[in-house]
Amino acid sequence: MAEDPLIRVRGLVKSFQGVRALDGVDFEVARGEVVVVIGQSGSGKSTLIRCLNGLVEPDDGEILVGGTAVDTHSQREWRLLRQRIGMVFQDYSLFPHLTVLRNITLAPIRTGRASPAEAEALARELLARVLLPEKADAYPGELSGGQQQRVAIARALAMRPEVMLFDEPTSALDPETIQEVLDLMRSLARDGMTMVIVSHEMGFAREVADRVVFIDRGRVVETGPPVAIFRDAREERTRAFLAKIL
Amino acid sequence: MQLLLDNAHVFLGGIIQTFQLAVATLACATVVAVLIGVTSVLPFAWARLVALCYVEIFRDIPLLVTMLFVYFGAPLLGVPLSPYWAALISLTLWGGANGAEIVRGGINAVPRHQTVSAVALGLKRWEIFRYIVLPQALLPIVPPFTGLFSNLVQATTLASLVGVTEFFRIGNIIVERTTIQEGHSPAFLVYGFVLLTYFVICSLLTGLSRRLERSLQNRGGRVVRVAVKPTESV
């Protein structure tokens, strides 16, 4: 029997002030898969990714994580799930009053996933991985945007998540620092990390994604391998979107 | 000048009383301010309404009126209060309301994405408040709070009107006594001395506030100005 997808979403609906941001979305992510979600601004892709870790509560629909249905109204259930689902935001959102090391170790220690010594050892290991081993004692304000985003990725990885969600991780970065973040994400993909990425970086999507999902007006219009989507999209709306940005 | 030296021990008694009242007021008002300030940002509408009512009532009534109301109203409820306690309670109510606004402003100055990213890490609500929101809220809270302390020290002079023998009242008594006994009024000299003393105390507090602000900024703190309605009703 095939393994359950790590994340499965059925008929997800979410409205904001009468406007449907998600209009019956079906979506799934297999373990080890890299899925890149593309679409215009306001198409619902950020709402979708935020629904996957309970930051946005859907009005209707079902979310299953590891084959188990999530009670989407239970914040306690989401809180426990979030310890398995890492999230990286567009604006890095590091805690400015804490050192880089403390930013990374806070959640593993507080949630009981690691002792302080284990958390610090893992944090230093992750900082080496994101090529910032010397910045452990720096404050976020002393880092560039790209460095802050790499620390944010290390912070999410410190929870040893089963899946990483990236909400436009390079949108707020200077062009010269985008590449360093994309390189890190490439290396995570190579290591088999399950990832859902909302991104406007089409070159990156083409290169790294196992599957690309195109969303428009709150609906999944088309999904498939990058080659199929970028070269040979079936739907007119997908072709129109790609024609505008490529 | 001889008059001031002759009455040095009386002035000293007054200034000790002023300090006692000021320190007790600052401590009690801080506790009330934190409690009400935190209540005003809780995710429960009823809690926010209670905090709003408290803040609006005590900020919009002149402190002197509150003090007289507490002093003369308490006996009607069967709780006669000494002038000191009436002054302490009313200064606490007033300082707590103004402090609560500073605390609320400080908490609201913490960007929302900070809370969202802490939520995404699986932290509990109280952990987010304790480790993420509160430390960041403290930076913008400290400077205006020191300003409030200075206001509270000045406001202790109002306690003289319900009979607390604090520094200002001592000055008052010396002026009246000397006028009656010696036939001339030393009002300018005595009140000048009182003015100078309050000026020195409050200047020290202001200086301390500036130092604290600079020290926070030097430590990489992001000091956000907290918008608070001027405390004109002292």
Side-chain angles (χ1 to χ4, degrees), chain B residues 57-58 61-71 86 89-91 93-94:
Chain B
I57 287 171
F58 288 106
I61 298 174
L63 173 56
L64 178 58
V65 177
T66 306
M67 199 174 283
L68 293 174
F69 188 77
V70 170
Y71 184 59
I89 290 171
S90 44
L91 284 165
L93 290 171
W94 179 83

Side-chain angles (χ1 to χ4, degrees), chain A residues 6-28:
Chain A
L6 185 55
I7 294 177
R8 173 176 282 167
V9 164
R10 289 192 201 126
L12 211 60
V13 173
K14 177 67 189 178
S15 298
F16 293 106
Q17 294 163 340
V19 178
R20 283 211 164 186
L22 296 179
D23 191 10
V25 168
D26 295 321
F27 175 82
E28 59 184 57

Side-chain angles (χ1 to χ4, degrees), chain B residues 152-207:
Chain B
L152 277 169
V153 170
Q154 292 169 32
T156 57
T157 52
L158 291 177
S160 66
L161 294 169
V162 291
V164 179
T165 47
E166 45 70 70
F167 188 57
F168 177 73
R169 173 121 172 100
I170 292 293
N172 211 352
I173 290 168
I174 290 171
V175 169
E176 284 173 10
R177 196 184 60 195
T178 312
T179 307
I180 292 167
Q181 286 177 348
E182 300 181 15
H184 67 89
S185 170
F188 186 77
L189 173 72
V190 173
Y191 288 132
F193 174 62
V194 169
L195 179 149
L196 198 67
T197 307
Y198 280 109
F199 177 76
V200 168
I201 295 171
C202 292
S203 297
L204 285 174
L205 272 172
T206 308

Side-chain angles (χ1 to χ4, degrees), chain A residues 107-169:
Chain A
I109 294 171
R110 293 305 322 167
T111 56
R113 285 175 88 82
S115 69
E118 287 165 351
E120 184 175 334
L122 177 60
R124 291 192 185 278
E125 197 180 299
L126 288 168
L127 279 173
R129 163 131 207 218
V130 302
L131 305 177
L132 294 168
E134 74 288 359
K135 298 292 185 188
D137 297 320
Y139 282 88
E142 298 163 22
L143 306 182
S144 71
Q147 289 174 328
Q148 288 191 49
Q149 192 60 297
R150 278 144 66 196
V151 173
I153 293 172
R155 182 176 69 178
L157 290 172
M159 295 294 282
R160 299 186 191 278
E162 294 169 45
V163 54
M164 288 280 283
L165 310 177
F166 292 86
D167 188 5
E168 302 194 24

Side-chain angles (χ1 to χ4, degrees), chain B residues 81-109:
Chain B
L81 291 174
S82 69
Y84 178 85
W85 278 100
L88 176 59
I89 290 171
S90 44
L91 284 165
T92 298
L93 290 171
W94 179 83
N98 282 291
E101 275 297 87
I102 296 173
V103 172
R104 187 180 65 84
I107 292 172
N108 285 340

